[in-house]
Amino acid sequence: MTDRTGRRGRANAEVTMSTPANAAVPRAERSLREMLLSRGYPALLLLSVLLGVPVAAACFFFVGFQHQLQHWVWVSAPGALGHDRPPWWWALPTLTLAGLVLAPLVTRVPGSGGHLPVDGLGGAPVGPRELPGTMLAALATLPLGVVLGPEAPLMAIGSGLALLAMRRFRDADRRARAMVATAGSTAAISTILGGPIAAAVLLIEGAALGGARMTALLLPCLLASATGALVFTWLGDWTGLSSGALALDGVPPPAGPDVGDFLWGVPVAAVIAVSVTLGRELGRSTALWTRRGGTARRTVACAVAVGVSVTAYALITGRSPAEAALSGQATLAELAADPHAWSVGALLVLVACKGLAWAVALGSLRGGPIFPAVLLGTATAMACSGLPGFGTTPALGLGIAAAASAITGLPLASAVLAALLMGKDAMEQMPLIVVASVVAFVVGQLVRRDGSDGAPAGGVAGGREPSGAPEGARTTGSAEGAASTGATGAGR
């Protein structure tokens, strides 16, 4: 009797323990259904659609005006002085001016001109009160040669306009405000990432909704899928049999990377991760030095140091200083179109000089950290593309993916970004791109100093809150707070 009672009790306990796990999926589905059918959610979707129009328009004119200023500084002005390209000393006065303009914005304007780029694109969303200073800092300094990208200011525009729109909905709760701020940032970042797919992947991965478990699961899944794709391609070529995989008729059959590309590509990806991570650590040291005292003077000093690094590149290589200055978008396009226009020595000098300038800018100036890092990774890979068995096209893909993964801490989003930039050549290079992205992520985590922030890429860095954000839109360390910052940044 006692034995039967004990067995029955154990069976009941097992049923009780298993019930929550079995019921978790239906409960999640019911919760999602309730949210979708709630009165406010359709209005939230409509607001997101309507919000995309002014955000995209604002980003378009912001980027267009910035490019016009950049063209005037680096093309029109030197031409008016009789130079066919910027002279070797051109970056010294332009970067000094950038520091002089930025110093009062950092010390006196709400929001300090935006987040420090060494913190990635993380931190609380930029509120309406901080948005003017952030836009002014970007428009006044990025065209002058600051070695940073426009992605952080664009995301600030998105979140700032979104939170401004939410002021009309005083009864909106904190979650609704955070979701709208995230939608605004995502709409903004999609304007320069080739569309909504890359922005959505950045959001999903950067929000880190699955926490460390998701990252731990994602890495082996990426490697396994890359290996599987590679084996399928090799077996198909070897046997002539059709694998029956999902494909589009009319697209030329891809020719995957060979063994030499992997033998060289994996260590090159690791080198890129080490150099990018060390550059970011130097940026952290620069940030600490800048904050210790005399922030305005030290901001100017850092801008001058960036100018000196850019000038050193021009003097050593005899090439235009514009290649080492600015975000690197134009130089990346030129390098991808004609990689043989650079000698190996010029590429290595570009990595050294632009890398140093980028590291200093990370901890002192304002802008985005991703685009210059992508150019540095690509230049490193291209410098190695002459090794036996290592092709130029595989080097381009792995350089983009490895650098993006090292600086953002988002291996999946980095692989997607590389695929979008590679265009029609991406399909055949995807296994190598994915492997390079994973290798760079792992190596970057190993190299990163202990004590570096472990926040998700888009998460809150230090719990900062925007003084201009509406109450309820300020983020916390939760997954929802991570999502509300736009989902990208650096270094989980």
Side-chain angles (χ1 to χ4, degrees), residues 236-266:
D237 293 340
W238 181 50
T239 64
L241 298 175
S242 173
S243 64
L246 178 63
L248 298 176
D249 294 333
V251 178
D258 56 25
V259 176
D261 293 322
F262 279 89
L263 290 178
W264 290 116
V266 170

Side-chain angles (χ1 to χ4, degrees), residues 160-205:
L161 292 179
L163 293 176
L164 183 62
M166 289 301 291
R167 283 185 170 180
R168 300 180 61 87
F169 303 91
R170 298 186 181 277
D171 57 341
D173 59 13
R174 179 172 62 89
R175 178 174 297 181
R177 295 178 187 274
M179 291 176 69
V180 171
T182 304
S185 295
T186 307
I189 197 65
S190 68
T191 60
I192 57 171
L193 291 184
I197 299 300
V201 175
L202 283 169
L203 170 67
I204 293 170
E205 191 178 11

Side-chain angles (χ1 to χ4, degrees), residues 5-446:
T5 302
R7 288 198 299 271
R8 188 181 300 112
R10 287 193 298 271
N12 292 336
E14 291 175 358
V15 171
T16 303
M17 293 174 63
S18 64
T19 300
N22 296 333
V25 173
R27 279 204 304 267
E29 292 178 350
R30 285 197 301 270
S31 176
L32 175 61
R33 181 178 176 84
E34 292 172 358
M35 180 188 300
L36 295 177
L37 297 179
S38 64
R39 184 180 62 180
Y41 195 77
L44 183 64
L45 294 180
L46 178 60
L47 177 61
S48 299
V49 173
L50 297 176
L51 185 63
V53 176
V55 168
C59 291
F60 174 82
F61 288 108
F62 174 85
V63 172
F65 187 44
Q66 178 206 330
H67 284 175
Q68 288 297 321
L69 291 176
Q70 179 177 309
H71 185 272
W72 184 85
V73 171
W74 294 91
V75 178
S76 300
L81 297 177
H83 301 283
D84 57 352
R85 66 181 186 184
W88 63 267
W89 49 264
W90 192 257
L92 290 174
T94 61
L95 268 301
T96 301
L97 179 60
L100 292 173
V101 171
L102 183 62
L105 296 176
V106 169
T107 55
R108 300 180 183 179
V109 173
S112 301
H115 303 309
L116 268 178
V118 74
D119 296 325
L121 303 184
V126 173
R129 182 167 174 261
E130 300 163 320
L131 183 57
T134 301
M135 294 181 62
L136 180 59
L139 287 174
T141 62
L142 291 180
L144 293 174
V146 172
V147 188
L148 295 169
E151 59 271 22
L154 285 175
M155 293 182 67
I157 292 174
S159 65
L161 292 179
L163 293 176
L164 183 62
M166 289 301 291
R167 283 185 170 180
R168 300 180 61 87
F169 303 91
R170 298 186 181 277
D171 57 341
D173 59 13
R174 179 172 62 89
R175 178 174 297 181
R177 295 178 187 274
M179 291 176 69
V180 171
T182 304
S185 295
T186 307
I189 197 65
S190 68
T191 60
I192 57 171
L193 291 184
I197 299 300
V201 175
L202 283 169
L203 170 67
I204 293 170
E205 191 178 11
L209 299 181
R213 287 186 178 182
M214 185 190 74
T215 302
L217 175 64
L218 181 62
L219 298 181
C221 288
L222 283 173
L223 287 177
S225 62
T227 303
L230 196 63
V231 171
F232 260 62
T233 301
W234 283 348
L235 288 178
D237 293 340
W238 181 50
T239 64
L241 298 175
S242 173
S243 64
L246 178 63
L248 298 176
D249 294 333
V251 178
D258 56 25
V259 176
D261 293 322
F262 279 89
L263 290 178
W264 290 116
V266 170
V268 169
V271 170
I272 292 172
V274 171
S275 60
V276 169
T277 304
L278 291 179
R280 186 166 177 248
E281 296 298 336
L282 178 57
R284 292 185 182 280
S285 300
T286 303
L288 292 175
W289 179 78
T290 305
R291 291 169 179 154
R292 284 199 182 106
T295 300
R297 295 192 302 273
R298 295 189 177 190
T299 298
V300 176
C302 289
V304 173
V306 172
V308 171
S309 297
V310 172
T311 302
Y313 168 79
L315 282 173
I316 296 172
T317 64
R319 302 178 65 93
S320 171
E323 295 173 352
L326 305 167
S327 67
Q329 291 169 263
T331 307
L332 179 62
E334 295 172 3
L335 183 59
D338 188 9
H340 301 294
W342 275 263
S343 66
V344 174
L347 288 173
L348 294 178
V349 174
L350 175 65
V351 171
C353 294
K354 189 179 183 73
L356 179 59
W358 172 70
V360 174
L362 283 177
S364 56
L365 307 181
R366 296 297 184 271
I370 300 176
F371 288 178
V374 169
L375 174 58
L376 293 173
T378 304
T380 302
M382 287 299 188
C384 301
S385 63
L387 295 170
F390 193 24
T392 301
T393 301
L396 175 63
L398 80 87
I400 295 172
S405 181
I407 189 59
T408 64
L410 308 176
L412 176 59
S414 300
V416 172
L417 177 61
L420 287 174
L421 292 177
M422 292 286 290
K424 64 180 181 180
D425 294 325
M427 182 61 68
E428 61 190 46
Q429 302 300 332
M430 278 308 298
L432 182 59
I433 287 174
V434 170
V435 170
S437 182
V438 172
V439 168
F441 173 80
V442 174
V443 172
Q445 295 299 306
L446 295 176

